[in-house]
Amino acid sequence: MKTFKIFILCALCTFVAQAQKQYQLASPDGKLKTTITTGKQLTYDITFDGQQVLKASPLTMTLDNGEVWGENDKPSKASRKSVHEKVASPFYRADELPNIYNELTLQFKGFNVVFRAYDDGIAYRFVNRGKKPFKVVDEQVMYQFPNDAEASIPYVRKSNGYEAQFFNSFEAQYTNDKLSNLNKERLMFLPLIVKQENNVKVCITEVNLENYPGLYLKTNEKEGQLISEFAPYPKRVEQGGHNMLQMVVKEREDFIAKVDQPRSFPWRVAIVTNEDKDLAACDLGYVLAEPSRLEDISWIKPGKIAWDWWNNWNLDGVDFETGVNNPTYKAYIDFASKNGIEYVILDEGWAVNKKADLMQVVPEIDLEELVAYANSKNVGLVLWAGYHAFNRDMENVCRHYSEMGIKGFKVDFMDRDDQDMTAFNYRAAEMAAKYHLILDLHGTHKPAGLNRTYPNVLNFEGVFGLEQVKWGKPGEVDLITYDAMIPFIRQVSGPMDYTQGAMRNATMENYRACNSEPMSQGTRCHQLALYMILDSPFNMLCDTPSNYEREQECTDFISAVPTVWDETVVLEGKMGEYIITARRSGDTWYIGGITNWDARDLEFDLSFLGDKAYSGKLFKDGVNAHRIARDYKSEAVQAKKGDKMKIHLAPGGGFALVLK
């Protein structure tokens, strides 16, 4: 009898061994490794330089026919390849980017799972090979960490009820806490950071969010675990929300996505590094994206924009009442033309309010006259558009305003990332491209690769930007700390329309919210530095022309800073504390650095410079910037390759340096 039991046990072990199979995949440099296990459950883990940073974590997709991809599945084929190439990256932080990885594709019945290992991250995605339509009931995305690690996460905005969290603007400051202490009733949006031992950080994001709902994460009772949540597909929507420009979901389906044909699903990405500056330099959000679908991009013109809304259309010293009218916008156009600024935007107010009809222009605005005037000054005009107004008549709107001479749209208040809305972003990009229009997608989720697939989409919000100071109470809004976080988290997913450039600057003690005459937190040089720190190919100048004209030296610097780059180097950085970034355009280098509310001395070397002598100009915090935030000093500098530079930053401070 004992012999028989032993035989049964051995047989079971053999069956399990046969049913389960493991595959290893390593990054090109060998430091990052993942072990993929198939059989009863499809899982993967991650080790970094021998340290486990992610325990075996399951991945499944549940279909409406009851099928569960990733459970009790045996691959019929495994194939590998290695890629070492460079990809063009127009309108981004470099003119081209390395795309170097090892790949493993596991082929199952009807679907594949593809894994990629880069030197700075592990990514995977499901691929549907079947032609029969189906619905995705759920996708299981789980991150099981080896300990109760500290995380830096953005919660969705507070709302009444769990479901209401799916209606959000993807704007939030970061909460830093142990995974076990995070609010189990609150959803988190991506990207987010989980910190492991030895300063190893795992940044979780997703790429190729096309026609599929965005991923939220939440905690549960199990220590060290983050699990997925997706907005179900909208069943019934009603016009409402901000100025009747949104479509509010009133009822949802019992599935998250419709699938009508073979397709690839979004990449699930875990970026892993023990150097904070490498997070800020990571390009996986771009190289994992689908290549450009536009054959001709010669008409796409990035640049800076004179913005009206942040400064409340304020001008002083003029002989007309400012506001949404032609005289005001002609003054903005004059300012842009004089300072070499490429665009002026007409933000909310130019179209008749609460009509959701972009063909109804307010009587105070003569658009054709403004377009003609702007053209005569070599300035392009961009129009703000609410989501529903743009979506309901998209092609007519694009055709009409393109023919008039409008250069693009800033589309706002989507405030969702269910499948219906992510599909809209791609449709909008395609339609805008058809009529040679650029897009700035405001009120939306992280870029997730759309800017590579449709390069006419130059910028995205999905950031707790400078607009927050118009209403944010002292002690509740801390943009200085946030500024020292976003290059390492939010910016990993792509560019952001943060809208920097404030000329009214305040210390922590002197800051107050003001809608009509807003002020930034931190120093003047902090604002200047953000033009180098942040990726923003379509970049707002938030303040009023009157303030810029009083601060012409700073305005001259901002106007000269490019918005796209040939090369970007993150020199130094520590998440939440400081960062120094150098960017090259041609033979000219622009270098910016910021700190949090701690004053500090930063030293960096100039080994990245070319083999010539450079001269330039340095903007640094003034001696009294800790008391008067607008205080700064500019000075001429000389520099060469290998030199070291040391600069003192005031609390909330920064510096900006140009070398030619």
Side-chain angles (χ1 to χ4, degrees), residues 278-428:
D278 292 341
L279 279 174
C282 181
D283 295 314
L284 290 188
Y286 192 95
V287 299
L288 279 166
E290 293 297 310
S292 175
R293 295 173 186 172
L294 305 184
E295 293 183 4
D296 175 25
I297 62 171
S298 61
W299 56 271
I300 302 172
K301 305 296 183 185
K304 291 181 285 293
I305 315 98
W307 190 24
D308 52 357
W309 179 86
W310 190 85
N311 58 75
N312 205 36
W313 297 267
N314 278 327
L315 297 167
D316 55 81
V318 298
D319 57 1
F320 56 87
E321 185 173 347
T322 59
V324 182
N325 55 51
N326 272 36
T328 298
Y329 284 113
K330 285 183 176 181
Y332 277 72
I333 292 167
D334 289 341
F335 163 74
S337 179
K338 177 183 176 182
N339 290 281
I341 296 165
E342 292 86 353
Y343 298 98
V344 167
I345 187 168
L346 280 68
D347 213 285
E348 186 175 15
W350 68 271
V352 177
N353 195 24
K354 297 187 178 182
K355 298 295 184 181
D357 184 355
L358 295 175
M359 298 300 183
Q360 296 190 40
V361 182
V362 297
E364 295 83 1
I365 293 291
D366 184 333
L367 270 180
E368 292 184 347
E369 180 188 9
L370 282 181
V371 169
Y373 188 78
N375 286 340
S376 73
K377 299 285 186 173
N378 198 31
V379 174
L381 294 187
V382 175
L383 300 178
W384 183 94
Y387 156 70
H388 181 51
F390 190 80
N391 184 51
R392 72 189 298 187
D393 197 22
M394 190 185 297
E395 181 150 19
N396 285 334
V397 166
C398 289
R399 180 193 302 110
H400 174 74
Y401 287 109
S402 175
E403 291 175 352
M404 185 183 292
I406 296 298
K407 304 302 182 183
F409 284 93
K410 172 184 173 182
V411 185
D412 204 351
F413 286 103
M414 284 74 85
D415 284 4
R416 294 168 23 216
D417 66 347
D418 49 47
Q419 184 183 26
D420 180 62
M421 193 59 74
T422 61
F424 161 79
N425 282 349
Y426 277 77
R427 285 191 294 105

Side-chain angles (χ1 to χ4, degrees), residues 70 75 101 113 127 131 184 199 227 236 355 370 387-388 403 414 437 455 524 528 544 577 583:
Y101 60 88
V113 183
V127 178
K131 298 180 180 180
K184 295 176 178 58
N199 198 46
I227 58 177
R236 182 171 62 88
K355 298 295 184 181
L370 282 181
Y387 156 70
H388 181 51
E403 291 175 352
M414 284 74 85
L437 295 167
R524 171 70 55 79
L528 298 183
T544 168
E577 297 186 17
R583 300 183 188 260

Side-chain angles (χ1 to χ4, degrees), residues 128 130-134 211 258-263 419:
N128 170 49
K131 298 180 180 180
K132 187 177 180 181
F134 62 88
N211 196 26
K258 301 175 181 178
V259 179
D260 298 322
Q261 59 188 357
R263 61 159 298 173
Q419 184 183 26

